């Protein structure tokens, strides 16, 4: 029903919160609804919720270990004295796993895009594509882990009272921990930074910013380890860009983390987060080569499979097909005139 001239006009329609033209994963927040302050709010909100989650789970682990006599208050006097315990390992994984809903809800609150649009440009987590990525990367990283174990001679492996708990914690929560890091940094963080910039500049700047944050969050003081973390972050950003979603980066991250912890439950892991200078070496370059090979393999599979890398969910729908033009009336038949010289 149209507006009457004596009535005030209705409110203008709200701008779409989804792209109206084809956008790649990192630029998916560049919509008519974008305002300069929305990415700022998203980064602050996501960071604050992550900090709160980390503090909550950290306190839970500390209270549990103090209550069971696993640690004392003196063990928390400085970061250097904190040792890894099964409870701390589990709570650290759960705090990072919580980044999946944190990133999804932050994007929804700040940009209006529902949580499912953080997984991919199709608005869903593509489970079949994720499963294929796992199957392609698992043999590569298993071979690397077995090679490292053989070279080390399987030294110090034993079954301890914590072994069963750690096996369960690794299998059940490490994939979620890996997904949390990808959703928070390669998802919300990269999209928020790239929202201010055009396509290519947004990709480069957001990859650099989130890559440095990813490296910093790992708290390594060794240049070789820092170089690996930065490289791994760039690989994750490239996968999100060239596959249109987080499935491939989550798969690679989860497989890498789970497989690298294959022998962790059978060893002394109290110092597992020691990343001080000297803990890395040029041997890290072997892992860099394996991760680079996995990147090339997944990009090839995405191209062969025809994975969707861009979409425009809010584009104006095409109108109904036009009716065919009316056909011309048939020409009237005329008598053949051959001056009476008809044959037959």
């Amino acid at each position: 029903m149209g507006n009457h001239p004596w009535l005030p006009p209705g409110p203008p329609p709200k701008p779409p919160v989804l792209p109206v033209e084809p956008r790649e994963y990192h630029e998916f927040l560049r919509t008519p609804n974008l305002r300069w302050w929305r990415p700022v709010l998203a980064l602050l909100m996501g960071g604050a919720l992550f900090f709160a989650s980390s503090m909550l789970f950290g306190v839970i682990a500390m209270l549990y270990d103090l209550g069971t006599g696993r640690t004392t208050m003196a063990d928390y006097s400085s970061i250097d004295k904190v040792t890894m315990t099964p409870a701390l390992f589990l709570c650290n994984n759960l705090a990072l796993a919580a980044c999946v809903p944190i990133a999804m809800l932050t994007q929804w609150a700040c940009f209006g895009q529902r949580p499912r649009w953080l997984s991919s440009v199709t608005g869903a987590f593509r489970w079949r594509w994720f499963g294929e990525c796992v199957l392609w990367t698992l043999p590569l990283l298993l071979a690397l882990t077995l090679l490292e174990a053989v070279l080390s001679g399987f030294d110090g492996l034993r079954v301890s009272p914590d072994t069963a708990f750690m096996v369960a914690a690794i299998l059940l929560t490490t994939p979620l921990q890996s997904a949390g890091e990808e959703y928070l940094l390669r998802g919300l963080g990269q999209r928020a930074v790239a929202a201010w910039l055009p396509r290519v500049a947004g990709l480069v700047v957001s990859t650099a910013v989130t890559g440095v944050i990813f490296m910093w969050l790992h708290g390594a003081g060794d240049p070789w380890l820092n170089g690996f973390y930065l490289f791994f972050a760039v690989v994750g950003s490239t996968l999100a860009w060239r596959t249109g979603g987080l499935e491939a980066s989550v798969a690679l991250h989860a497989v890498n983390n789970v497989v690298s912890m294959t022998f962790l439950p059978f060893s002394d892991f109290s110092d597992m987060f020691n990343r001080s200078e000297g803990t890395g070496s040029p041997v890290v370059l072997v892992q860099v080569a394996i991760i680079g090979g996995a990147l090339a393999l997944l990009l090839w599979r995405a191209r062969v499979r025809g994975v969707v890398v861009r979409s425009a969910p809010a584009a104006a729908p095409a109108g109904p097909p036009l009716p065919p033009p009316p056909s011309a009336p048939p020409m009237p038949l005329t008598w053949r005139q051959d001056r009476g010289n008809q044959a037959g």
Side-chain angles (χ1 to χ4, degrees), residues 4-20:
H4 293 285
W6 60 83
L7 294 177
K14 294 183 179 180
V17 299
L18 293 170
V20 297

Side-chain angles (χ1 to χ4, degrees), residues 72-144:
T72 64
M73 286 302 299
D75 295 327
Y76 300 99
S77 59
S78 69
I79 295 296
D80 296 334
K81 293 185 178 181
V82 175
T83 59
M84 181 58 60
T85 65
L88 185 57
F89 176 86
L90 175 63
C91 287
N92 178 72
N93 274 7
L94 293 177
L96 290 169
C99 290
V100 174
I102 286 174
M104 286 181 165
L105 295 176
T106 300
Q107 177 179 266
W108 194 5
C110 297
F111 299 96
Q113 293 185 5
R114 293 186 177 274
R116 63 191 181 93
W117 290 104
L118 188 58
S119 296
S120 75
V121 297
T122 66
F125 191 87
R126 298 165 292 190
W127 286 101
R128 294 184 64 181
W129 168 233
F130 169 77
E132 182 174 338
C133 292
V134 170
L135 292 177
W136 282 105
T137 55
L138 186 59
L140 290 175
L141 294 167
L142 273 176
L144 174 63

Side-chain angles (χ1 to χ4, degrees), residues 67-344:
T68 57
R70 189 76 182 242
T71 58
T72 64
M73 286 302 299
D75 295 327
Y76 300 99
S77 59
S78 69
I79 295 296
D80 296 334
K81 293 185 178 181
V82 175
T83 59
M84 181 58 60
T85 65
L88 185 57
F89 176 86
L90 175 63
C91 287
N92 178 72
N93 274 7
L94 293 177
L96 290 169
C99 290
V100 174
I102 286 174
M104 286 181 165
L105 295 176
T106 300
Q107 177 179 266
W108 194 5
C110 297
F111 299 96
Q113 293 185 5
R114 293 186 177 274
R116 63 191 181 93
W117 290 104
L118 188 58
S119 296
S120 75
V121 297
T122 66
F125 191 87
R126 298 165 292 190
W127 286 101
R128 294 184 64 181
W129 168 233
F130 169 77
E132 182 174 338
C133 292
V134 170
L135 292 177
W136 282 105
T137 55
L138 186 59
L140 290 175
L141 294 167
L142 273 176
L144 174 63
T145 299
L146 291 175
L147 175 62
E148 292 174 345
V150 170
L151 293 177
S152 66
F154 297 94
D155 290 339
L157 297 183
R158 60 184 177 84
V159 175
S160 71
D162 297 325
T163 296
F165 180 89
M166 289 298 294
V167 169
I170 290 170
L171 293 178
L172 296 177
T173 65
T174 297
L176 299 177
Q177 165 259 319
S178 304
E181 293 183 16
E182 294 301 313
Y183 271 80
L184 188 65
L185 291 175
R186 252 68 71 187
L188 178 68
Q190 185 153 8
R191 281 184 165 185
V193 174
W196 284 306
L197 300 167
R199 173 177 171 267
V200 176
L203 176 65
V204 174
V205 173
S206 64
T207 298
V209 171
T210 56
V212 170
I213 294 174
F214 181 78
M215 178 186 70
W216 173 74
L217 287 175
H218 281 79
D222 185 87
W224 290 105
L225 293 180
N226 279 327
F228 172 75
Y229 294 134
L230 186 60
F231 174 76
F232 196 94
V234 172
V235 167
S237 296
T238 303
L239 286 172
W241 167 45
R242 296 306 302 159
T243 66
L246 295 176
E247 300 91 350
S249 63
V250 169
L252 180 59
H253 200 152
V255 171
N256 176 76
N257 285 12
V258 172
V259 171
S260 66
M261 296 179 184
T262 300
F263 301 104
L264 184 67
F266 307 96
S267 59
D268 179 14
F269 54 85
S270 60
D271 206 29
M272 67 172 291
F273 283 164
N274 177 20
R275 296 165 179 150
S276 59
E277 186 173 1
T279 54
S281 71
V283 176
V284 170
L285 295 176
V286 177
Q287 194 170 3
V288 167
I290 295 295
I291 297 297
L295 169 65
L297 182 61
L298 293 179
L299 293 181
W300 168 69
R301 287 304 308 165
R303 186 171 61 253
V304 171
R305 207 173 187 269
V307 173
V308 178
V309 299
R310 61 176 63 86
S311 70
L322 296 175
S327 57
M331 294 294 294
L333 297 176
T334 58
W335 291 104
R336 179 180 175 185
Q337 298 181 10
D338 53 7
R339 304 184 184 220
N341 297 323
Q342 291 113 336

